[in-house]
Amino acid sequence: MMSWLEWILSQTLLRIAESNPQGMDDFWLQQGTEMLLSLVKSSQEDAQERAATTLATFVVIDDESANVDAARSEAVMRVGGIPMLLDLARCSRESAQSEAAKAIANLSVNAKVAKAVADEGGIGILTNLARSMNRLVAEEAAGGLWNLSVGEEHKAAIAAAGGIKALVDLILRWPAGTDGVLERAAGALANLAADDKCSMEVAKAGGVHALVMLARSCKLEGVLEQVNGAHHVIILAARALANLAAHGDNNNNNAAVGQEAGALEALVQLTSSQNEGVRQEAAGALWNLSFDDRNREGIAAAGGVEALVSLAQECLSASEGLQERAAGALWGLSVSEANSMAIGQEGGVAPLLTLAQSDVEDVHETAAGALWNLAFYSGNALRIVEEDGVPILVRLCSSSGSKMARFMSALALAYMFDGRMDEVALVGTLSEGSSKSVNVEGARRMALKHIQTFVLTFSDPQVFTAASTSSAPGALSQIADAVFIQEAGHLRCSGAEIARFVAMLRNPASVLRACAAFALLQFTIPGGRHAVHHANLLQKAGAARVLRAAAASTTASVEAKVFARIVLRNLEHHQTGTST
């Protein structure tokens, strides 16, 4: 009789959970949870499994968003449900393993429950289940590891338990089309790859090959656009590759992704997907990969310039995330001369100027970075003028809430009007029959006026005047600390760019001298990621003599003099390795 009652009760509770009627919260919190856990300990295998299935079901409020009820999840934890479910997951029956793992996975969406699962040894249990040859068991276990990997505190434990290798093996074991397994494995690896140490473990376990294979197989078999759920798989695979490539300063994963056969080609082709999420993650991966010199050229060789310019043109009404990544990928590619010129010739200036007008700081900041790189070359500088880009850059320089956007816009304007564009402007870059006309002199006056306004926002006349006549190093240190733009320390300039700023220190326009000195101050501040690199380039260029002349000039503004003196102090610091 008891067995029959347990069978009926387990069936009834499962139906209630699946239909999820309104007004059941009090029942689940006060009686339902304990009833389900008593069934998990039943002697009947069917009742145990249905109870686990019900626990997995009744905590989920919305299947589409995977929204989980916090109170119900914590009620299961509070009455000792986690150890019971983990015991069931350790049994020898695969059907029970699958249902228990699913319940643990769903409950682990709640951070408090996830901690309890980890504390009870759940990471090791789920890792063992992920090695199962039964697809359903492995799929649910991978889902549990995916949810646990959201917490930074669990990532190292997953790696230590062998979870990364188990997840990589899942991708290699099952072919494309088994979306449940692939989605969960790729999602977990994407989260784990965001951690520096775990990202190295992902690469060591063969994760680069597995994720690239996943991206390529989805593309080649057409499942990307045809099979429901495959979009999620490819989005997560691209996100995982993007996260692997994001630690370029700390490990070799960025280069390793680029060197994997077909990786760059697959990501470039994914930027033309019909799915916006796929395009966004692919562009994000290409942005991170473009920080490596070889990858940058490999992306271009795979048609990346044309693909990303096309993406920038098409994403003007898309999500902010896609716009930011499209502009960011072009920013990364435009570091090299050949790519920068190709972006201009492919029509990349116009969409970047449109993105630079976005109200979203992350979008217009990345667009400003790309335009700064493009403006280094005179042909692109003239294109920016012809596309009415000067008022756009002026507006950014004057009113953006991002100091970095204002800074890079000012530098783009300085490049455009330091005199190198004049010869090109006489010839023009427009094809015959174009009706566009360019008032370069008017644009120059507007640009110089707003560059000066930008520089003056970092100046206190009284403090600067006192510092310009003082020999005390404390006054310069105080100003340097006040004007430093923290994010500017992440920018890395080439020798040609540093040489151009040094040449700008001799420019007849006083405002350009001040702007150049301000830029060199930002690039050489001790503690900046690339400060030593920039200091070495300045030393090779013999910049100290030019900086001393700028600091002593009778025609220079007080800002140019003070900034030049701070750059000299920075160079002395890097030369001696001590603080002055």
Side-chain angles (χ1 to χ4, degrees):
M1 178 64 73
M2 183 58 69
S3 296
W4 179 78
L5 287 174
E6 287 181 345
W7 188 87
I8 292 294
L9 183 58
S10 64
Q11 287 274 35
T12 303
L13 291 174
L14 178 57
R15 287 172 183 165
I16 293 172
E18 288 174 341
S19 61
N20 196 22
Q22 296 292 321
M24 294 295 292
D25 279 350
D26 288 344
F27 166 74
W28 288 122
L29 295 176
Q30 294 174 20
Q31 296 96 17
T33 299
E34 291 191 8
M35 291 169 66
L36 285 169
L37 292 176
S38 69
L39 289 170
V40 170
K41 296 185 291 184
S42 169
S43 59
Q44 284 195 90
E45 295 177 356
D46 284 353
Q48 286 182 333
E49 292 170 21
R50 272 194 292 272
T53 303
T54 307
L55 286 167
T57 304
F58 93 113
V59 295
V60 178
I61 299 172
D62 183 356
D63 287 329
E64 286 296 320
S65 63
N67 193 10
V68 168
D69 187 288
R72 295 181 187 182
S73 300
E74 290 170 26
V76 175
M77 175 183 68
R78 194 164 47 249
V79 295
I82 302 306
M84 292 184 203
L85 287 166
L86 290 173
D87 282 343
L88 185 59
R90 276 193 292 246
C91 78
S92 59
R93 301 191 320 274
E94 291 179 337
S95 56
Q97 293 171 354
S98 173
E99 298 303 334
K102 182 176 181 179
I104 294 164
N106 288 356
L107 289 162
S108 296
V109 172
N110 181 290
K112 293 179 182 177
V113 179
K115 183 178 184 306
V117 170
D119 290 346
E120 293 287 344
I123 288 174
I125 293 170
L126 289 170
T127 297
N128 286 334
L129 293 179
R131 299 188 181 105
S132 172
M133 297 307 293
N134 181 296
R135 187 179 64 81
L136 289 176
V137 173
E139 179 178 320
E140 299 300 350
L145 293 173
W146 184 8
N147 290 341
L148 285 165
S149 68
V150 172
E152 294 297 322
E153 67 273 25
H154 305 314
K155 291 178 179 176
I158 292 172
I164 289 175
K165 181 68 165 63
L167 291 163
V168 170
D169 288 345
L170 280 181
I171 295 175
L172 298 174
R173 186 181 306 147
W174 275 286
T178 51
D179 295 332
V181 177
L182 299 178
E183 179 183 8
R184 288 161 175 76
L189 289 173
N191 288 344
L192 292 162
D195 177 84
D196 182 21
K197 291 181 180 177
C198 287
S199 74
M200 290 188 280
E201 293 296 322
V202 172
K204 192 185 302 181
V208 173
H209 172 71
L211 290 163
V212 170
M213 184 190 73
L214 183 57
R216 294 185 69 198
S217 63
C218 284
K219 171 180 66 68
L220 292 172
E221 294 180 18
V223 299
L224 178 59
E225 308 298 351
Q226 296 170 21
V227 179
N228 185 33
H231 286 134
H232 296 294
V233 176
I234 199 67
I235 285 170
L236 293 166
R239 184 180 301 163
L241 290 170
N243 289 345
L244 280 174
H247 308 284
D249 287 349
N250 301 324
N251 59 53
N252 297 321
N253 288 349
N254 192 310
V257 173
Q259 290 164 18
E260 181 69 30
L264 300 179
E265 292 82 356
L267 289 167
V268 167
Q269 290 186 41
L270 290 174
T271 62
S272 61
S273 165
Q274 296 175 19
N275 182 275
E276 182 172 320
V278 173
R279 296 198 301 273
Q280 178 171 312
E281 296 299 340
L286 291 170
W287 184 5
N288 287 346
L289 288 164
S290 68
F291 287 99
D292 179 85
D293 292 342
R294 286 181 61 183
N295 287 346
R296 192 181 306 123
E297 302 317 313
I299 292 167
V305 170
E306 299 84 350
L308 288 165
V309 168
S310 177
L311 182 62
Q313 291 167 339
E314 295 168 0
C315 77
L316 300 179
S317 59
S319 68
E320 297 159 6
L322 178 55
Q323 291 177 350
E324 179 192 5
R325 286 163 177 78
L330 287 173
W331 184 5
L333 283 185
S334 64
V335 167
S336 77
E337 179 178 359
N339 290 347
S340 185
M341 297 301 294
I343 290 169
Q345 291 163 1
E346 286 292 325
V349 168
L352 284 169
L353 287 170
T354 301
L355 293 172
Q357 297 176 76
S358 169
D359 293 332
V360 181
E361 282 187 16
D362 288 342
V363 175
H364 69 235
E365 185 176 287
T366 50
L371 290 166
W372 170 40
N373 282 352
L374 292 178
F376 186 82
Y377 302 100
S378 300
N380 285 336
L382 186 56
R383 287 188 181 92
I384 294 172
V385 176
E386 292 169 342
E387 294 288 347
D388 297 322
V390 172
I392 295 169
L393 289 169
V394 160
R395 197 176 309 118
L396 269 189
C397 181
S398 306
S399 60
S400 173
S402 161
K403 284 185 180 179
M404 275 289 282
R406 290 163 51 208
F407 177 51
M408 292 186 293
S409 298
L411 297 188
L413 291 168
Y415 280 164
M416 292 163 63
F417 297 106
D418 67 352
R420 299 196 185 191
M421 186 179 66
D422 294 350
E423 184 177 339
V424 178
L426 291 174
V427 179
T429 63
L430 296 173
S431 60
E432 287 187 37
S434 172
S435 60
K436 286 192 177 183
S437 60
V438 181
N439 181 2
V440 174
E441 188 52 41
R444 185 199 309 276
R445 287 194 299 270
M446 180 192 298
L448 295 183
K449 175 184 174 183
H450 286 86
I451 294 171
Q452 182 176 36
T453 301
F454 166 77
V455 171
L456 290 176
T457 60
F458 292 87
S459 174
D460 181 325
Q462 188 174 349
V463 173
F464 272 58
T465 300
S468 67
T469 58
S470 171
S471 59
L476 295 179
S477 296
Q478 182 182 356
I479 291 174
D481 291 341
V483 305
F484 179 47
I485 301 171
Q486 194 73 35
E487 298 85 350
H490 297 284
L491 298 175
R492 180 184 175 94
C493 295
S494 66
E497 290 172 291
I498 292 296
R500 186 153 180 182
F501 286 119
V502 173
M504 214 180 286
L505 291 170
R506 303 189 188 98
N507 196 285
S510 176
V511 63
L512 290 179
R513 281 178 271 162
C515 183
F518 179 79
L520 292 173
L521 179 158
Q522 302 296 333
F523 297 143
T524 57
I525 283 279
R529 180 184 292 183
H530 304 296
V532 174
H533 163 75
H534 294 140
N536 288 337
L537 292 177
L538 284 167
Q539 297 288 2
K540 291 176 183 176
R545 179 175 57 82
V546 182
L547 285 161
R548 283 193 290 270
S553 171
T554 56
T555 60
S557 65
V558 65
E559 290 77 22
K561 294 178 182 179
V562 170
F563 293 150
R565 287 183 61 193
I566 294 173
V567 178
L568 285 166
R569 184 206 64 158
N570 292 347
L571 293 182
E572 290 172 8
H573 169 92
H574 293 300
Q575 203 166 22
T576 62
T578 58
S579 178
T580 56

